[in-house]
Amino acid sequence: MQIGIVGLPYSGKSTLFQTITKTHIDTSALGKNETHQAVIKVPDNKLDKLIEIFSPKKTNSAIIDLVDVIGLKKGDSGSTQFTSNFLSTVKTNDALVQVVRLFANDAVPHPDGSVDMIRDIASFETEFILSDLSILENRIERIKKTYQKSGGDLLLRELPTLEKSYEILHTEKPLREAELNDNELFILKTYSLLTLKPMLIVLNLDEGQRNDAEKYLESTRKLKAGKNTKVMSLFGKIELEMSELSDDDAALFMSEYGIKESALHMLIREAYDLLGLQSFYTVGEDECRAWTIKKGMTAQEAAGAIHSDFVNKFIRAEVVGYDDFIKNGGSFAKSKEQGVWRLEGKEYIVTEGDIISIRHS
């Protein structure tokens, strides 16, 4: 899974990237068209506990590919320009995190002259809509010209979906919030449309705005939150300082500032929810591992995440829920005695935290 962090210059986008990845970016290079990228392990208390129980030779956490997308620049008119380099990079991301500046800082002026979160959110949505409109318009014209020359209805099967999406975008509505069926989504996936990507809007505040955080969150959620758009807030500068502390000192720091959850945990939790993802586990003395799959996947489909051959060779899945396993002392034998360890067939729907062993031919 690849998540792109986007935001206007001086929004705190790169600060968030550094906080989550615990890396340092040379600020003198921030004006260059460079994209910073890092792979991070997904924090997982369940996996940590399973590792403690089994003391395996090998461990594997779920991972996320995080990208600090660079490429926005100031145009001749003074407004921010969305470059082709920026847009092409964003197209490769599975989900987007838009960092929106709410803090004032005279030493670092806002590129558009003033702090206005509604304007900044809208600027991205407008550019993404224009990009998608251009892609769809070109594709629709190409399909119609090809049909006129050679006939046939293969390409025309795409046309109703493309025209429907084009009209939705003309109403200034992003496709991520549109009512589209599975077949329409399958067709649109080919085009890497920007407004179809799930969006997490992150409001970046400073320490002096702690009392206003909920107010900003509520007003933004009323405006933008939907089935594929979520909103959260954080204090970017505080989070960066906290990321440089030991775990014990960070916990004290969080308590002092009333921070219930770190930026890393919040972002990953919200991203998993946006993308409809969940984790299941395989455990043993050799390896404990977290696997990331889509919610609603069957045991047979989940087996394919472990190894592609397991899909066709699937026989049964041995399953016990994480909570049941822990309640029974981290013992498979006790879990069997209590009837919470069970055999499931290929149609079983995997749930968050399932500990699974695949029987295959």
Side-chain angles (χ1 to χ4, degrees), residues 9 17 43 76 86 88 93 105 119 131 140 144 150 160 165 182 204 241 306:
F17 177 83
D76 295 336
F86 171 84
S88 62
N93 303 145
N105 186 339
R119 178 201 61 210
S131 174
I140 289 169
K144 289 180 177 179
S150 58
S165 302
D182 290 343
N204 188 11
E241 293 174 2
I306 299 173

Side-chain angles (χ1 to χ4, degrees), residues 230-297:
K230 296 176 75 68
V231 184
M232 60 175 269
S233 65
L234 55 76
F235 306 95
K237 187 177 179 181
I238 293 176
E239 290 280 356
L240 182 59
E241 293 174 2
M242 193 167 66
S243 70
E244 298 169 350
L245 301 174
S246 67
D247 291 344
D248 290 342
D249 287 343
L252 289 173
F253 199 88
M254 289 174 68
S255 176
E256 180 181 346
Y257 280 92
I259 300 172
K260 297 179 181 178
E261 192 175 18
S262 71
L264 172 59
H265 285 78
M266 279 194 294
L267 187 143
I268 290 176
R269 176 171 50 78
E270 297 289 7
Y272 264 56
D273 188 46
L274 267 177
L275 291 166
L277 301 177
Q278 64 181 3
S279 296
F280 76 92
Y281 305 93
T282 53
V283 299
E285 293 180 356
D286 289 331
E287 181 184 48
C288 286
R289 181 164 184 167
W291 302 88
T292 302
I293 60 170
K294 284 279 190 180
K295 291 178 181 178
M297 273 192 169

Side-chain angles (χ1 to χ4, degrees), residues 40-53 59-64 261-262 264-266 268-269 272 277-283 288-293 322-323 326 351-355:
I40 59 171
K41 290 183 178 180
V42 174
D44 192 331
N45 293 332
K46 293 186 179 75
L47 180 62
D48 292 341
K49 182 64 177 178
L50 293 171
I51 291 170
E52 181 184 319
I53 292 169
T59 64
N60 269 295
S61 303
I63 59 173
I64 289 178
E261 192 175 18
S262 71
L264 172 59
H265 285 78
M266 279 194 294
I268 290 176
R269 176 171 50 78
Y272 264 56
L277 301 177
Q278 64 181 3
S279 296
F280 76 92
Y281 305 93
T282 53
V283 299
C288 286
R289 181 164 184 167
W291 302 88
T292 302
I293 60 170
Y322 172 84
D323 290 338
I326 298 302
T351 62
E352 168 66 35
D354 276 350
I355 299 169

